Each structure stands twice: as C-alpha cells, then as structure tokens.
Amino acid sequence: QVQLVESGGGLVQPGGSLRLSCAASGSSTSINVMGWYRQAPGKQRELVAVITNRGNINYAEFVEGRFTISRNNAKNTMYLQMNSLKPEDTAVYYCNAQAVAWGIRWGQGTQVTVSS
C-alpha cells in the first residue's frame, strides 16, 4: 500500500525557517499531484501548496512568497521550504498525494510551532 511519511516539523521562533519532507513509498506509478495542507486547532484543514508531476505549482494566498514547494519524482519525495515563519503558521502540516492508479493518500502529519 502507498504510504506517505512527513518529517522536519518542530519549534521555531518567529522569522525562522523549517524544511518539511514527505517521502512516498509503495507506488509503482506516477504520482500525479502532491501537496501540503495544514490544520490549526479549531480550524479546517487548508491547502498550503500543490505541485504536479509536470512541475506546475500553486500556493495559497497566505504563503506570500515565503514558502517553496518542490519534488523529486525519481525519489518520490516532496519538500516544503518555509521561511519567515509567523505564529499564525502554527499547525499540523500534512502531506497529500493523488494518483490515477490508487486515488488519494494522506500522511500522518508533522507539528510546526512558531513561538517565542
């Protein structure tokens, strides 16, 4: 079965940086779309950024140029470089992947906390 494993979360000060990784395993076909979502306490899960296997990218408005999404198709790994982090970025960040062959999968999430 396809599995997604996130890593890289942690506690950082406002203005700091984190680099999240999502490693996909068990897929023998192309992963059409991968993306990052986040969910803060009491709020709905929201899209952060999405990237296709062709390299097309879209960001949420709140990213404001601070984050960069990328992927290595050969390694089935996706990254989110987050700079200039704000307290309102505090959330659990989830990896999402979609493929025609097997549908949709979610990772377990990694906690990002931005605080002094």
Side-chain angles (χ1 to χ4, degrees):
Q1 182 178 328
V2 176
Q3 292 186 329
L4 308 177
V5 179
E6 300 102 329
S7 62
L11 173 64
V12 297
Q13 296 179 343
S17 297
L18 284 173
R19 182 175 181 262
L20 307 183
S21 298
C22 172
S25 63
S27 179
S28 60
T29 66
S30 175
I31 301 176
N32 302 95
V33 182
M34 300 185 76
W36 291 98
Y37 292 72
R38 70 185 189 185
Q39 188 166 23
K43 298 184 65 177
Q44 285 208 100
R45 190 171 300 185
E46 62 183 347
L47 176 71
V48 178
V50 63
I51 183 169
T52 73
N53 60 342
R54 297 166 57 194
N56 298 315
I57 295 171
N58 290 105
Y59 295 100
E61 289 187 11
F62 62 74
V63 169
E64 299 175 326
R66 300 175 298 130
F67 302 170
T68 301
I69 189 172
S70 62
R71 64 188 285 179
N72 186 322
N73 293 334
K75 296 181 178 180
N76 279 336
T77 303
M78 176 181 63
Y79 309 93
L80 185 69
Q81 178 66 48
M82 302 189 293
N83 302 319
S84 302
L85 284 163
K86 306 174 181 179
E88 51 262 46
D89 294 318
T90 297
V92 177
Y93 284 70
Y94 296 92
C95 177
N96 172 268
Q98 303 176 35
V100 173
W102 39 260
I104 302 172
R105 297 288 186 274
W106 290 95
Q108 79 287 348
T110 184
Q111 177 70 48
V112 171
T113 302
V114 185
S115 176
S116 298

